[in-house]
Amino acid sequence: RELLEIHLSKKLRLSSSKNVKFSGMIEPNISSQITIDIQILPTDSTQEIKIKASIFSKDQTFCKYDVEYLEQ
């Protein structure tokens, strides 16, 4: 959420989470660099922001999620 707030210059509040999957822990000694891929999906609402995101390193995915935020 914090990265989105900085990128969008908006305050956000989680409204729903449809799918959240944690598949591993980030160990800094093993995975010194991670990538966060955030897709902002189209929506009919001007207040709602749908997100599909994943956190991964070269060969391991740590987390995937589909959530919806509302502007505060």
Side-chain angles (χ1 to χ4, degrees):
R1 183 196 74 176
E2 289 87 1
L3 292 174
L4 282 170
E5 287 179 336
I6 292 167
H7 178 71
L8 299 172
S9 299
K10 298 178 181 181
K11 285 289 203 181
L12 302 174
R13 177 177 55 90
L14 182 66
S15 64
S16 69
S17 59
K18 298 190 184 330
N19 184 22
V20 178
K21 182 179 179 182
F22 295 99
S23 54
M25 286 186 49
I26 299 171
E27 297 183 46
N29 295 334
I30 297 171
S31 302
S32 60
Q33 291 186 349
I34 60 169
T35 302
I36 301 172
D37 178 42
I38 300 172
Q39 298 174 27
I40 300 174
L41 305 173
T43 178
D44 295 334
S45 172
T46 58
Q47 296 284 326
E48 185 179 65
I49 300 170
K50 290 184 180 183
I51 301 295
K52 183 174 187 172
S54 61
I55 302 171
F56 57 93
S57 68
K58 295 177 195 170
D59 57 350
Q60 184 178 8
T61 300
F62 302 108
C63 178
K64 288 185 177 183
Y65 55 95
D66 299 322
V67 296
E68 296 176 2
Y69 291 102
L70 292 174
E71 284 187 51
Q72 287 187 328

